[in-house]
Amino acid sequence: MSITEIDLRHVWHPFTQEQTAPEPLPVARAQGASLFLEDGREFLDLASSWWVNVHGHCHPAIAEALAGQARTLEHVIFAGFTHAPAARLAERLVQALPRPLDRVFYSDNGSTAVEAALKMAFQSWRNRGERRRTLFLAFEGAYHGDTFGAMSVGRSSGFYAPFEDVLLKVRHTPFAETWQGDDGVAERETQALAELDAILERDGKRLAGFIAEPLVQGASGMRMCRPEFLRAVCQRVAAQGVPVILDEVMTGFGRTGTLFALEQAGVLPDIICLSKGLTGGFLPLAATVASTAIYESFLGQDFSTAFAHGHSYTANPLGCAAALASLALFESERTLERIAAIRRANQAWLEQAVRLPGVTRPRALGSIAAVNLGSEGSGAGDYHAAVGPLIKARCLDLGLLVRPMGNVVYLMPPACITPEELSRAHGTLLQVLREAAPLYSQA
Ligand SMILES: Cc1ncc(COP(=O)(O)O)c(C=O)c1O
């Protein structure tokens, strides 16, 4: 039996309607920006394998670090024990983050990083005797993962209708998205801030925390906002004493052109969530980094104020070793400069793409570039737009892994992509958009 046949018999895939989805493609190996199938077909990974890959697949420096760590200490319980990879990685992350973010809590993935952050914010109030703060605030269109707390703050993404009755209480405030050539942004921001003010006026003293994807909302369609908008939102929220949680699970580790998006946003959060690119795309690992004040609110003489949260694989040494190797590559390979070059090339591509009829809302940040297909009103992240799967299939035929989100087509290549590979990707994608234009340009 082939791998695909075995898979079809026994495996249940994520975010997939198993009854109608095309057969999964069997990947045999990967290198640099490319994936190779068992039958020899090659795809450029323009989605960085669900936004995790940073320096390219199977990077030898990370593979070496992992192999060495696997022969030394593969895993150990992290309550009551520590080890060099976890301690060194915590130190390295704290060095890279602004003060007062200085306590690293490890977990396994983006959702658990968010779950831990929400619980920290919530319990921090309880530990200080404040019981009224039972609400969270999040942006409309936010996505923060698929566990219950993360679903609650991301419910406006529209993925979680079956769970509506069992989610936490959350207020959603508008996200003033923008794009190149947008002349309505100032008005949209003013209106969004006015709605936020109304929420804060009503519920400000009941909020336990505010969570946001800084500068780019990934899963709702690479929707971008201006740094000054995010700053204004965070200032208003912080003025109510509400902790700000930045979810940098997608934006972290260079994706937006700086190591963390908060550097460009000029926002100082109380908690930050990191995962995905943390290990360069090799292993699941997450870090929720909290401020001194949040951390200290959990200190006490008995367990009642402790953070009763942990996972079997917390601070897995292999993951931590991969993360340290990945962070070292940012310096030795000048990763942020590579990402700046990708951005320049993406910008030239966007300028060509928007000349096609029906291609709208061009936007770019770091290694991310995105456009919408169809009329302005069709909305970003319309997952039911039929054009997405067609573009994905045609791109696969032509050797590109592109995963449109409904009517949003985006590129997010790993930093190692060569100028030739990127130019091939840009040319092919323009061809595919041109071919598909009759499907979306009237929409
Ligand atoms: C901003 C953000 N937060 C959290 C998550 C959840 O991460 P994970 O899929 O590792 O649970 C994602 C995943 O796409 C994300 O984009």
Side-chain angles (χ1 to χ4, degrees):
M1 237 191 297
S2 72
I3 292 299
T4 306
E5 284 164 341
I6 300 172
D7 176 291
L8 287 172
R9 201 168 278 197
H10 297 294
V11 179
W12 190 345
H13 287 264
F15 266 98
T16 300
Q17 174 44 267
E18 294 267 306
Q19 188 166 322
T20 55
E23 285 184 0
L25 298 170
V27 179
R29 64 187 184 86
Q31 196 181 12
S34 292
L35 304 170
F36 299 90
L37 296 197
E38 294 197 326
D39 63 11
R41 274 183 291 163
E42 178 182 346
F43 300 108
L44 276 178
D45 184 356
L46 299 180
S48 289
S49 280
W50 248 347
W51 317 344
V52 301
N53 197 283
V54 178
H55 309 287
H57 288 277
C58 295
H59 194 292
I62 303 179
E64 282 306 312
L66 261 178
Q69 187 61 47
R71 284 191 291 267
T72 313
L73 173 66
E74 89 302 358
H75 189 66
V76 62
I77 176 176
F78 203 62
F81 291 86
T82 190
H83 47 77
R88 292 224 170 88
L89 177 59
E91 180 185 49
R92 182 75 187 75
L93 289 173
V94 166
Q95 279 165 0
L97 287 165
R99 296 289 76 68
L101 292 172
D102 70 353
R103 281 289 163 175
V104 177
F105 185 89
Y106 289 110
S107 65
D108 307 347
N109 56 65
S111 305
T112 57
V114 166
E115 213 66 36
L118 298 173
K119 286 177 67 176
M120 278 175 191
F122 187 87
Q123 191 184 336
S124 172
W125 288 111
R126 296 273 159 143
N127 285 355
R128 287 175 285 147
E130 168 62 83
R131 303 184 70 83
R132 276 178 313 163
R133 296 204 180 241
T134 54
L135 291 175
F136 283 97
L137 178 68
F139 274 130
E140 283 168 4
Y143 176 81
H144 296 289
D146 299 332
T147 49
F148 274 88
M151 284 198 292
S152 306
V153 284
R155 58 149 68 75
S156 68
S157 65
F159 292 134
Y160 308 122
F163 302 99
E164 194 53 45
D165 292 345
V166 287
L167 298 182
L168 304 176
K169 283 175 283 176
V170 177
R171 299 286 180 263
H172 289 279
T173 192
F175 180 80
E177 75 171 300
T178 189
W179 50 88
Q180 294 171 8
D182 170 25
D183 51 17
V185 63
E187 199 179 315
R188 231 175 287 121
E189 288 178 353
T190 306
Q191 193 168 345
L193 291 173
E195 286 190 42
L196 172 64
D197 286 340
I199 295 172
L200 292 177
E201 172 78 28
R202 217 174 36 242
D203 289 324
K205 295 283 175 273
R206 296 174 60 212
L207 290 174
F210 165 61
I211 185 164
E213 293 159 270
L215 302 185
V216 191
Q217 288 192 325
S220 68
M222 297 299 158
R223 302 198 314 156
M224 299 186 185
C225 73
R226 298 200 295 187
E228 46 268 49
F229 171 68
L230 184 67
R231 225 164 20 240
V233 169
C234 291
Q235 273 163 3
R236 281 166 158 79
V237 167
Q240 302 278 329
V242 177
V244 171
I245 303 167
L246 288 188
D247 175 353
E248 292 235 27
V249 167
M250 185 281 278
T251 53
F253 304 102
R255 216 57 86 176
T256 65
T258 44
L259 195 59
F260 302 111
L262 60 74
E263 296 165 39
Q264 293 169 72
V267 171
L268 258 189
D270 300 279
I271 304 177
I272 185 171
C273 306
L274 305 172
S275 187
K276 289 200 186 271
L278 173 58
T279 61
F282 271 64
L283 284 169
L285 181 72
T288 305
V289 188
S291 68
T292 319
I294 295 277
Y295 175 74
E296 287 181 348
S297 68
F298 285 76
L299 302 180
Q301 289 305 316
D302 61 43
F303 193 76
S304 65
T305 58
F307 192 42
H309 186 111
H311 300 277
S312 314
Y313 282 96
T314 294
N316 174 251
L318 300 171
C320 294
L324 283 165
S326 174
L327 282 165
L329 286 174
F330 271 90
E331 279 152 44
S332 63
E333 296 200 337
R334 298 175 174 272
T335 304
L336 295 181
E337 286 173 30
R338 290 179 176 209
I339 290 172
I342 292 173
R343 168 157 184 172
R344 287 192 292 276
N346 277 346
Q347 184 59 37
W349 176 77
L350 282 177
E351 282 159 23
Q352 290 181 286
V354 288
R355 290 200 207 115
L356 296 173
V359 175
T360 59
R361 301 191 180 186
R363 49 208 187 269
L365 191 63
S367 57
I368 309 169
V371 291
N372 283 21
L373 305 180
S375 68
E376 300 286 319
S378 57
D382 172 6
Y383 271 76
H384 306 293
V387 69
L390 293 172
I391 287 181
K392 180 179 165 194
R394 186 69 184 125
C395 283
L396 285 174
D397 286 344
L398 297 172
L400 302 184
L401 168 52
V402 172
R403 271 181 67 91
M405 293 184 283
N407 67 325
V408 173
V409 173
Y410 73 93
L411 304 179
M412 189 202 277
C416 70
I417 194 165
T418 65
E420 297 72 33
E421 287 170 329
L422 190 54
S423 160
R424 171 155 60 89
H426 284 151
T428 305
L429 202 47
L430 271 187
Q431 176 193 335
V432 173
L433 292 183
R434 205 174 288 122
E435 284 172 12
L439 292 172
Y440 61 79
S441 57
Q442 319 298 341

